[in-house]
Each structure stands twice: as structure tokens, then as C-alpha cells.
Amino acid sequence: MRVLVVGSGGREHALAWKLRQSPSVGELLIAPGNGGTGALGENVAVRSDDTAGLVRLAQAREVDLTVVGPEVPLGLGLVDALSAAGRLAFGPTHLAAEIETSKAFSKDFLRRHGIPTAAYRTFTDHGEAVAYVESLTAAPVIKADGLSAGKGVVVCDDLDQARAALDQMMLRREFGEAGSTVIVEERLVGQEVSLLAFSDGTRVATMIPAQDHKPAYDGDQGPNTGGMGSFAPAEIMTEEMRRAVTRDVIEPAIAGMRAEGREYRGVIYAGLILTSDGPKVLEYNCRFGDPETQVLLPLLDGDLAEICRQCTVGHLDPSAVSWHLGACACVAMTSGGYPGAYRTGYPIDGIEEAEHKGCLVFHAGTKREDSRLLTAGGRVLGVTAVGPDLDSAISTAYDGVSSIGFEGAQYRTDIGAKGLAFSASRRTPSEP
Ligand code: AMP
Ligand code: GLY
């Protein structure tokens, strides 16, 4: 098969790395790819939001299967356009992708199908939204509808902050059109877990649970980022809980989308908070997570190209999806200043040394220029390691990080600490 991966981040490097291992994959193209993906296949300079350009590429190179990484091309209808051109493409259609790209659709969908989520109300009128916020007894979360690059969410500590967020979104339109519809949501308390599943529109194969680290600094302090690191499996989600979430959150979503004429094929990602009332959905994403993919795919004991093909044609065999024992951790190394302003173009050293120590180094914001590898984005690398347990995976990943250098490099030093704390709490008997 000739396979095309769409995207340029760490997730897409991990996808390309895993697809490269499939015996059925011959040629591998990545559009546009990054400084790391070029070693696995051919980077082609077509942007991931250039739907027409990607369809032309798939036609010209007779691509058998396209695997779409990010939500933007899915929201733009890349899978619809490729299918219309007779090309297999893995991922939801434009209508199915609305489970992520429209928060208002997604919240109403959750309610229609009785899927556990935070209580919420949707507003298009600023005055009504303010009046509702003033009637609340606890500080809510305010969300702008539509995509705003992860920025359209304000988790409020008090009602003043909630009013300020409504002004920012609905009056000053700081997130653009996304601010014309705003969701005021109950603030949930608990650990966040990501549970992803493959689906062919009917059947599902749930992955192992993973945890992301969104805040920029240690101890979950600082501004939210695209993700500073991840680990899997997240044992805080027990096997029993994983089965319950599959039954109560994943399967009803797939069945609900089919019933609403939005058949969902691809990866569905449930972002959950494990509350004292049980797991509740924060959001669905219509794609693989970044950086969850970097820790899930190294543990996937299966042929990714075949799994994607099966989902795309509507015949997933869930037994094709199984998992290695052990654990995986990924530490994001970012440019100095990220997620605020940062500079790029600095040389990166030490990747080979980290690889010799047993790390998989997934590139995100990197590029090659005259055979040199340079920084080219906020998140630069995802230094990843597999181990027999989480402790050893984390140690190997940080050992790799210590080998790698570029001007201004930043990273969190506590990736996976929550997972270790959970394992330790289980080892400590709670009764004398
Ligand atoms: P989202 O863009 O919806 O994924 O939200 C970004 C982040 O905001 C999430 O990862 C959570 O950490 C936080 N968040 C969103 N909704 C809630 C909520 N209802 N309660 C608590 N935290 C939330
Ligand atoms: N890890 C968060 C996301 O992929 O949206």
C-alpha cells in the first residue's frame, strides 16, 4: 500500500513510525511532515489545510490510504473530498468531525444520548449569559464554540473571572467568530484521563488509557499548552472503569452518530474527568491525541495500517487491536517562552545519543536545513521511552532528555509523577 500521513506534529511522526512497521506499507508520504518524518518516508510540501492540494497529491501518487492526524483538515472535509475522489481515507467526515469542531453540537449530542458530562447551558446573547452566571453558586468553565486552538476555554476560580471571560469572548470577540456561541459549564474536579478508540462506524476497539499534561510548568502550574508530556497506561482508570466508559461513553457515541446520519469512522477520543460521581466526558476529539499517540502507538501490538484500513472500509476486527505489557512515557521539549512567544531556528544536538539510550525521539517543531536539524515550532521534540513499568519508562525518557540540547530548551520534570503516585498509593495498604 502507498500511505499518506497528513500533519506535521509529534503525533504524525509517531503515526509514520508505526505505519512504517506494517508489512503492507510500501511507500510512505507525509504532508507536510517535519524534520523527523523525512527519515521514514517522503515529506511532501502540501499543507494539512490545503484540501484540494492533498486530493491532487493522493490522485497523482495513487495513494491507497490517507491517515489524517489533526482536526483542522477533518473539520474542512478532507476525508469527504478524498472519498469523493475514490481514495480511502482514515478519519471522520466533516459532519462526524463536528463531535469535536462544534462544542455546542458536542454538548447537545452528549445530552441527547444520556452520556455523562458536566451540566451546561449554551448562550448566544451576552446579557443572558451574564444573568445565568450571576445565578450560579460555584465558579463555572466558559467555552467559546468552534475551534480556537485550545485557547477558547477559561476554567474560572470565581464569578468575576467568569464575567470577564464572557466579555472577552462575546463582546470583544477575542476568539473571533467562535465567541458568538458560548457554553457555560459546571466545573468538574478530578484527574483527567484520555480514552481513545478505533471505530469502523459500528464496532469499537478501545485503546489503553493515557494521561496528558497540559499546563506548561511542573505541578500543573502555568498556562495551558498543546501538551507537555504523556504516559500510558494510566492505571488510575481501572480495567473495570475502562469497560464501563467503553459501554457508557464510547459505544453510545458511535451508535448515536450513526443514528444521526453522521457515521463515525476513525479514532474517537474521549477526554474524561474521573469525578467522585464517576467518569464524565469533558469533550470528544475526532482524532488521535497529541501527545497521547506518542505513548499509545509504541505499546500497540498490532498492524496500524491494517487497523486503519479496516476502520475505513467498515470492517474492524477488534481482535486486531492488542497491547504490549509495560508502560510508555513521553516528555515534550519546547522552545523557550512556549506557549507564549518564542524564537526558532536553533540547532538541535544529541538526538542520536538519546536514541542509543533507548529513547524514541518523535519530532514536532523541527526542520532540516542543509543537513542540519533546527527548531521550528513551540513543541520541538517528544522524547519517549517504553519500559517494563512506568518508573523505568520515565527514567529512560529523562535520561534521553539530558542528552539533547538546543538554545532555550524547556521541559517539565514531573511527567508521569501522577501515575507513580497512584501506583504508590495502591501499594500502601490503606488499613493496618
Ligand atoms: P477543552 O479545550 O474543552 O479540552 O478544555 C481544556 C481544558 O480545560 C481541559 O483539558 C480541562 O483541563 C479544562 N476543563 C474543560 N472543561 C472543564 C470542566 N467542565 N471542569 C473542569 N475543567 C475543565
Ligand atoms: N492531548 C490533547 C489533545 O490531543 O487534544
Side-chain angles (χ1 to χ4, degrees):
M1 275 201 289
R2 191 170 295 133
V3 175
L4 166 65
V5 174
V6 174
S8 61
R11 163 182 52 209
E12 287 75 25
H13 190 182
L15 285 167
W17 170 82
K18 186 68 184 171
L19 288 164
R20 184 73 282 167
Q21 295 166 24
S22 296
S24 58
V25 176
E27 225 177 307
L28 186 60
L29 310 176
I30 308 97
N34 60 36
T37 56
L40 297 165
E42 180 188 346
N43 283 350
V44 187
V46 182
R47 290 167 49 123
S48 62
D49 60 0
D50 178 2
T51 305
L54 290 167
V55 173
R56 276 197 301 275
L57 172 66
Q59 295 287 51
R61 300 292 292 269
E62 298 184 1
V63 169
D64 299 297
L65 175 69
T66 300
V67 178
V68 186
E71 64 278 16
V72 169
L74 294 166
L76 290 172
L78 177 57
V79 168
D80 312 60
L82 285 165
S83 306
R87 300 275 154 205
L88 282 187
F90 176 79
T93 58
H94 162 74
L95 273 181
E98 282 198 350
I99 202 162
E100 169 170 5
T101 60
S102 165
K103 285 196 190 330
F105 169 78
S106 172
K107 292 297 299 188
D108 291 344
F109 176 85
L110 284 158
R111 179 147 62 190
R112 276 199 295 284
H113 295 281
I115 299 168
T117 187
Y120 71 97
R121 287 199 36 198
T122 304
F123 295 93
T124 51
D125 182 81
H126 175 258
E128 286 175 20
V130 171
Y132 176 65
V133 160
E134 283 170 352
S135 75
L136 296 174
T137 49
V141 177
I142 311 282
K143 301 183 173 187
D145 191 31
L147 290 176
S148 40
K151 284 181 298 191
V153 176
V154 182
V155 181
C156 304
D157 290 318
D158 54 47
L159 296 182
D160 281 342
Q161 223 184 332
R163 276 187 288 262
L166 291 175
D167 292 352
Q168 180 192 22
M169 290 178 193
M170 302 186 88
L171 295 182
R172 298 202 298 280
R173 291 295 165 99
E174 287 182 21
F175 300 108
E177 260 315 289
S180 58
T181 305
V182 162
I183 292 155
V184 180
E185 191 174 280
E186 168 196 9
R187 181 175 170 178
L188 300 175
V189 180
Q191 285 210 33
E192 283 185 62
V193 174
S194 309
L195 191 65
L196 286 70
F198 293 100
S199 183
D200 63 0
T202 309
R203 284 162 286 249
V204 305
T206 306
M207 304 191 204
I208 51 177
Q211 270 183 295
D212 183 7
H213 299 64
K214 286 202 177 106
Y217 313 131
D218 283 8
D220 284 343
Q221 300 299 305
N224 261 347
T225 68
M228 295 299 291
S230 52
F231 67 93
E235 291 185 346
I236 191 165
M237 174 171 275
T238 60
E239 182 52 29
E240 190 189 350
M241 227 189 273
R242 184 173 83 123
R243 273 200 295 271
V245 173
T246 300
R247 184 191 63 217
D248 299 337
V249 168
I250 306 274
E251 288 173 352
I254 296 300
M257 292 297 272
R258 195 174 62 247
E260 296 189 12
R262 298 172 185 249
E263 193 185 51
Y264 193 104
R265 294 180 181 182
V267 165
I268 184 160
Y269 165 142
L272 304 156
I273 289 197
L274 308 185
T275 75
S276 51
D277 269 352
K280 292 195 180 178
V281 176
L282 269 187
E283 59 168 356
Y284 288 109
N285 290 324
C286 64
R287 51 176 172 82
F288 282 100
D290 189 342
E292 288 90 338
T293 305
Q294 291 87 316
V295 292
L296 290 169
L297 294 184
L299 295 173
L300 174 63
D301 180 13
D303 179 334
L304 181 62
E306 179 56 19
I307 294 166
C308 292
R309 193 194 62 77
Q310 289 182 3
C311 289
T312 304
V313 300
H315 292 290
L316 173 64
D317 171 7
S319 72
V321 181
S322 59
W323 302 91
H324 294 295
L325 294 176
C328 188
C330 169
V331 179
M333 296 183 74
T334 73
S335 294
Y338 173 82
Y342 55 82
R343 299 169 71 131
T344 58
Y346 298 115
I348 305 170
D349 299 308
I351 290 183
E352 276 186 18
E353 194 180 316
E355 287 170 346
H356 282 135
K357 289 174 168 174
C359 291
L360 285 161
V361 181
F362 293 123
H363 295 224
T366 72
K367 65 175 178 194
R368 291 205 182 267
E369 220 171 72
D370 310 325
S371 83
R372 283 198 320 167
L373 184 70
L374 304 176
T375 65
R379 285 188 294 173
V380 177
L381 300 170
V383 184
T384 306
V386 173
D389 53 38
L390 183 59
D391 209 348
S392 66
I394 294 169
S395 304
T396 307
Y398 276 109
D399 195 22
V401 167
S402 72
S403 296
I404 297 175
F406 54 87
E407 179 77 33
Q410 285 180 176
Y411 55 88
R412 276 180 64 158
T413 65
D414 64 348
I415 298 303
K418 272 183 217 164
L420 295 179
F422 178 76
S423 316
S425 73
R426 267 201 323 187
R427 278 196 299 272
T428 314
S430 51
E431 284 170 21

